[in-house]
Amino acid sequence: MIKARVTVTLKNGVLDPQGKAIEGALGALGFDGIGQVRQGKVFDLVIETADKAKAEADLKAMCEKLLANTVIENYSISLA
């Protein structure tokens, strides 16, 4: 059993309206000095295998096919 975390973020240069909305809301709540907020997604998964190479290959395929829109998003994979 392998635990994995996939983090998906927007690529540099891609507009992030949700990040801008969060930035504005933080300012409205009195948090000063906050800028360049970018939002993303985190997926925690458990893979039923002991083969780290296969797990990483499967995770990459999951990201390419479903978890990330690779046109506008980057992803990173970490195994535990």
Side-chain angles (χ1 to χ4, degrees), residues 24-50:
L26 289 171
L29 290 170
F31 296 101
D32 296 326
I34 304 297
Q36 299 181 15
V37 175
R38 308 280 286 171
Q39 72 88 48
K41 302 177 275 193
V42 175
F43 300 94
D44 290 323
L45 302 97
V46 174
I47 301 172
E48 298 294 334
T49 184

Side-chain angles (χ1 to χ4, degrees), residues 41 43 61-69:
K41 302 177 275 193
F43 300 94
M62 290 176 208
C63 290
E64 296 287 331
K65 293 179 181 181
L66 177 67
L67 300 180
N69 177 350

Side-chain angles (χ1 to χ4, degrees), residues 1-6 43-52 55-56 59 62 76-80:
M1 180 172 75
I2 295 175
K3 292 183 181 181
R5 175 167 282 181
V6 176
F43 300 94
D44 290 323
L45 302 97
V46 174
I47 301 172
E48 298 294 334
T49 184
D51 184 348
K52 282 193 173 189
E56 195 156 6
L59 285 161
M62 290 176 208
S76 65
I77 298 168
S78 62
L79 303 177

Side-chain angles (χ1 to χ4, degrees), residues 2-22:
I2 295 175
K3 292 183 181 181
R5 175 167 282 181
V6 176
T7 304
V8 180
T9 56
L10 288 171
K11 291 182 176 180
N12 289 334
V14 175
L15 295 177
D16 186 356
Q18 239 180 327
K20 278 288 184 202
I22 293 166

